[in-house]
Amino acid sequence: MKRFAFVSDFDGTISQKDFYWIVIEKHFPEGRKLYKEWKSGKLKDIDFLSTVFSSINQTEDIILQDIDGIEIDPGVPAFIQEVQKRGGDFYVLSAGSDYYIRPLLKKHGVENVEVLSNTGVFHEKNVHLQIDPKHWSYSERYGIDKSLVIQDFKKKYEQVYFAGDSEPDSHPAACADITFAKAALQDLLDEKNVPHVKVASFQEITSYFNQQHLWN
């Protein structure tokens, strides 16, 4: 059994802004109404994202420029390097899409990180999600069931740490050994009485690891 895995959500956790907001603000203003419907429970997460991503109507060059402009938490690359240096594995676990996650990781020099997310492909001026209902980690609501992934990792690693920021992350948070919660996830886990460490950045996660001697 391997020592430890650190698993992180991407949008709003590693990145400073969700990709769907970039699309809505720049190319799909109608998405604001759709966002309200999603948050009210009228739309499943995967249906909301699929609609937004397939409503960009721009060349791939423009979409890739939008992706390139997304800022990430500045402490992420160094933290990932430290995880790997200490014998751990770092994973990105996202209910978004690998279409924008992979180029952003590459831009920031992040290597040897497996991305577990919904597959996205560019076709006819839009990004289309390819969801496989037969995949072992399939979720009808999110496309990928983060809880199943964390549970699977717990069979392979002595310790599994998780970081997230929103509702989809509240489910895997209950399965991880330690969850680092940002933004809205903090209140959600408080309501569910799920233990977690409140953080605002990966620098704070690094400090916690140092103080609690979790690298050892």
Side-chain angles (χ1 to χ4, degrees):
M1 185 174 269
K2 295 183 178 180
R3 279 192 58 223
F4 74 97
F6 194 100
V7 186
S8 178
D9 167 58
F10 189 82
D11 290 87
T13 304
I14 288 178
S15 73
Q16 304 282 36
K17 194 171 187 176
D18 293 70
F19 179 61
Y20 67 76
W21 272 123
I22 304 293
V23 174
I24 289 172
E25 291 172 357
K26 290 192 172 185
H27 312 297
F28 184 50
E30 298 88 345
R32 294 183 183 278
K33 179 181 178 182
L34 208 64
Y35 174 82
K36 292 179 180 179
E37 293 180 1
W38 167 44
K39 286 301 182 180
S40 69
K42 295 179 182 178
L43 281 177
K44 294 175 183 175
D45 297 62
I46 197 63
D47 293 333
F48 167 73
L49 292 181
S50 294
T51 301
V52 172
F53 293 169
S54 62
S55 302
I56 304 174
N57 294 312
Q58 298 291 335
T59 65
E60 187 165 32
D61 283 346
I62 289 177
I63 296 173
L64 292 176
Q65 286 176 19
D66 290 339
I67 292 171
D68 189 67
I70 297 174
E71 296 182 1
I72 70 167
D73 182 319
V76 169
F79 180 79
I80 293 176
Q81 290 179 359
E82 192 66 23
V83 166
Q84 295 170 339
K85 176 183 174 183
R86 300 285 186 156
D89 292 325
F90 190 97
Y91 295 88
V92 173
L93 178 58
S94 170
S97 176
D98 64 349
Y99 181 81
Y100 56 86
I101 294 172
R102 295 185 191 281
L104 278 169
L105 293 178
K106 183 177 180 180
K107 174 185 176 181
H108 292 279
V110 174
E111 300 178 343
N112 301 316
V113 167
E114 186 173 351
V115 177
L116 306 169
S117 186
N118 297 311
T119 300
V121 295
F122 176 81
H123 179 64
E124 294 184 346
K125 293 190 173 184
N126 288 296
V127 177
H128 300 272
L129 298 181
Q130 297 183 332
I131 310 297
D132 180 7
K134 296 181 180 179
H135 194 277
W136 68 269
S137 64
Y138 168 73
S139 164
E140 183 180 356
R141 178 176 177 182
Y142 303 110
I144 184 169
D145 190 323
K146 294 185 177 185
S147 297
L148 288 180
V149 175
I150 295 297
Q151 290 168 20
D152 183 62
F153 282 161
K154 292 196 72 173
K155 300 173 184 176
K156 304 172 183 177
Y157 294 92
E158 294 176 10
Q159 295 288 314
V160 177
Y161 307 111
F162 178 70
D165 76 308
S166 60
E167 193 280 331
D169 302 317
S170 65
H171 310 290
C175 305
D177 291 297
I178 298 178
T179 291
F180 296 91
K182 295 178 67 176
L185 183 60
Q186 298 177 357
D187 289 340
L188 288 170
L189 297 185
D190 281 340
E191 292 171 5
K192 294 184 175 184
N193 292 317
V194 175
H196 59 283
V197 178
K198 292 178 171 61
V199 296
S201 68
F202 269 80
Q203 181 56 54
E204 292 184 11
I205 298 176
T206 300
S207 297
Y208 186 89
F209 263 68
N210 290 333
Q211 292 166 5
Q212 301 298 319
H213 307 290
L214 297 181
W215 301 118
N216 301 333

